[in-house]
């Protein structure tokens, strides 16, 4: 199930990048939080 691990880490990373970009103008906090939640759930379900 390495696909789920890769997908989970990819979503978490995307969420963190989005949250980082939220400090700059023009990005969306909601997308960052959503991606973090999806990534976390993917990693949690995998276990």
């Amino acid at each position: 199930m390495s696909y789920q691990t890769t997908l989970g880490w990819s979503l978490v990373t995307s969420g963190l990048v989005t949250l980082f970009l939220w400090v700059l103008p023009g990005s969306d906090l909601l997308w960052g939080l959503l991606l973090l939640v999806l990534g976390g759930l993917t990693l949690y379900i995998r276990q």
Side-chain angles (χ1 to χ4, degrees):
M1 291 291 178
S2 63
Y3 174 74
Q4 283 185 329
T5 302
T6 303
L7 179 61
W9 281 115
S10 177
L11 289 171
V12 168
T13 303
S14 297
L16 290 173
V17 168
T18 304
L19 285 173
F20 174 74
L21 290 176
W22 178 66
V23 177
L24 304 174
S27 58
D28 196 339
L29 176 62
L30 181 59
W31 280 109
L33 293 175
L34 180 63
L35 289 170
L36 282 173
V37 169
L38 286 174
L41 284 175
T42 303
L43 291 172
Y44 179 74
I45 290 171
R46 179 191 171 273
Q47 294 178 351

